[in-house]
Amino acid sequence: MKVYKFGGASVKSAEAFRNIAHIIKTFGGDKQLLLVVSAMGKTTNALEHIFDLAHKGEPFDKEYQQCLAYHREVVEELFASESNPVHERLEHLFLQLQQSLQTVPSGASYDKFYDQVVSFGELFSSTILHYFLTNQSLQNTWIDSRKYINTDTSWREGRVDWNWTERTIKRDLPEILQNQLIVTQGFLGGTNNGFTTTLGREGSDFSAAIFAYCLDAEAMYIWKDVEGLLNADPKYFTDTIRYPEISYQETVEMAYYGASVIHPKTIKPLANKLIPLYVKSFLNPAAEGTKICNCRFEVLAPAYIIKENQCLISFSVKDFTFISEKNLGTIFNALSELRLKINLMQNSAISFSICTDYNQERLHRLIQTLNDQFVIHYNTGLRLFTVKNYDNNSINKLSADKEILLEQRTRTTFQLVCR
Ligand code: ASP
Ligand code: MG
């Protein structure tokens, strides 16, 4: 069997849904297929915003109505018949969303209720896809991924219980796949006591890899709006190059540095079972794309990776002594408690600097925790640039006209934090 993952851009409009049906009919062949789908377009961002308003006790009706109207519009375009059950199902889900927004307890844990709300995006999109494919004579079963991917209560970053998940997936899904497609949600997991978790932003790739791993898939496909895995994001760079074939290892490293094509957790489960991952364009599905597998290439074109919205934090000791291993231990403990990930770090005689993704709430808690022991400075709104497999030319190209706050270089990797 194979796993196909369709991201937000591939379900952003009625036309995009039609294209999915076309891809499945043309390329799915007689294969057993499990389809993992993300929320439509920018729905997850919209839901984050709506949740944020609800959590602050501010009105969210306008934003909620916009989200509802967007989904209704697509459904109306896709389904000629007003009696198709999709309408009722979608309205019901939106009612549930409204209820969970209205009942966010004041002072409730932000991350836990975030998951209960933001997860609706994938429930909407997968529901629409289920009914639409049925209409297209593509028989399929909708399954609730929260009942198959079991996680702990690390909200917004659920940690998967692999044994339970594999057992449950293997128990139920192969039989369904004998004569039907399966449609399910990316990004979502469920806890033992019935709460929803999410697997981290852009986590649908990871969901697809979990299903691929547990079902021993022969391949996984990510259908995207780019031609494959490129050496740079075409939003920022012209003349990008596509890698026709690249190793798991190289891809993991690129994802770690922030290449947004693939969620960083996706590769490990696939590599463990040597399941090849194809990154293909849904706009040009016949094109070759990229094959990610257990291969080795010596020379690869330099890869340029940008992480936006970075924060550079520096800690210095108050009494002009040096930063000691004990100090570092204190800092690392606080970071790990707050789940702030270090994207880059640098040590000097009297200060220690780290670059992390900016998260206002966690940053403030970090400062509260460490304020009495360290002088802490920080800058926000920064970018972290990484060049993997760099050469002089690529460094010059990158450093030109930038205000550089921090620079670091190893034998294979060059990094800059800049404004
Ligand atoms: N919809 C989620 C997000 O935008 C998950 C995903 O797209 O992979 O983060
Ligand atoms: Mg998305």
Side-chain angles (χ1 to χ4, degrees), residues 238-304:
T238 48
D239 49 275
T240 55
I241 303 170
R242 172 180 57 88
Y243 300 115
E245 200 170 335
I246 186 168
S247 70
Y248 293 124
Q249 184 63 37
E250 281 287 334
T251 313
V252 168
E253 289 176 27
M254 282 166 67
Y256 173 83
Y257 291 123
S260 60
V261 280
I262 293 168
H263 188 275
K265 289 184 182 165
T266 311
I267 299 298
K268 185 167 183 268
L270 301 177
N272 281 348
K273 287 200 177 169
L274 298 179
I275 300 168
L277 170 60
Y278 295 88
V279 181
K280 302 223 347 149
S281 161
F282 62 75
L283 300 167
N284 186 8
E288 178 189 39
T290 295
K291 180 181 185 186
I292 300 164
C293 57
N294 191 29
C295 61
R296 277 250 150 262
F297 286 112
E298 286 307 321
V299 185
L300 281 174
Y304 298 86

Side-chain angles (χ1 to χ4, degrees), residues 158-169:
R159 275 189 280 256
V160 176
D161 178 339
W162 283 93
N163 286 334
W164 191 96
T165 300
E166 184 169 14
R167 215 178 326 118
T168 313
I169 288 177

Side-chain angles (χ1 to χ4, degrees), residues 44-264:
T44 306
N45 291 354
L47 289 170
E48 274 188 349
H49 181 52
I50 293 171
F51 171 69
D52 200 50
L53 292 170
H55 192 264
K56 287 194 284 213
E58 290 175 16
F60 52 79
D61 196 55
K62 192 180 111 218
E63 289 77 3
Y64 170 88
Q65 292 299 338
Q66 273 168 359
C67 185
L68 173 59
Y70 169 45
H71 285 79
R72 273 187 186 155
E73 223 170 87
V74 169
V75 165
E76 270 154 33
E77 218 186 307
L78 286 174
F79 299 87
S81 153
E82 275 171 32
S83 61
N84 189 296
V86 69
H87 301 288
E88 206 187 304
R89 194 65 209 127
L90 188 72
E91 297 299 317
H92 180 73
L93 285 170
F94 266 95
L95 260 174
Q96 282 185 332
L97 166 62
Q98 199 172 41
Q99 276 162 4
S100 48
L101 283 165
Q102 276 158 354
T103 54
V104 175
S106 66
S109 136
Y110 190 95
D111 290 349
K112 176 174 179 180
F113 283 87
Y114 169 104
D115 281 356
Q116 311 319 305
V117 166
V118 172
S119 49
F120 273 91
E122 273 69 14
L123 297 175
F124 301 147
S125 61
S126 62
T127 300
I128 298 172
L129 186 63
H130 161 68
Y131 288 108
F132 179 65
L133 294 181
T134 307
N135 252 5
Q136 297 288 307
S137 313
L138 290 163
Q139 281 314 310
N140 71 95
T141 300
W142 182 95
I143 67 155
D144 186 337
S145 60
R146 296 171 298 181
K147 303 222 155 61
Y148 288 93
I149 296 179
N150 182 271
T151 73
D152 66 2
T153 54
S154 307
W155 311 110
R156 298 180 71 171
E157 215 177 321
R159 275 189 280 256
V160 176
D161 178 339
W162 283 93
N163 286 334
W164 191 96
T165 300
E166 184 169 14
R167 215 178 326 118
T168 313
I169 288 177
K170 280 214 163 89
R171 182 193 67 199
D172 292 354
L173 304 194
E175 196 183 320
I176 303 174
L177 286 166
Q178 290 293 322
N179 44 31
Q180 307 230 336
L181 306 170
I182 288 179
V183 172
T184 193
Q185 311 77 42
F187 189 45
L188 312 189
T191 66
N192 287 341
N193 47 6
F195 283 98
T196 303
T197 49
T198 60
L199 305 177
R201 285 304 307 268
E202 310 302 327
S204 297
D205 296 343
F206 181 40
S207 303
I210 295 170
F211 282 107
Y213 175 92
C214 295
L215 290 163
D216 298 302
E218 64 179 270
M220 170 172 151
Y221 287 70
I222 297 183
W223 296 93
K224 292 193 66 85
D225 54 359
V226 288
E227 289 294 317
L229 190 63
L230 307 179
N231 73 325
D233 186 337
K235 271 188 277 195
Y236 300 99
F237 293 90
T238 48
D239 49 275
T240 55
I241 303 170
R242 172 180 57 88
Y243 300 115
E245 200 170 335
I246 186 168
S247 70
Y248 293 124
Q249 184 63 37
E250 281 287 334
T251 313
V252 168
E253 289 176 27
M254 282 166 67
Y256 173 83
Y257 291 123
S260 60
V261 280
I262 293 168
H263 188 275

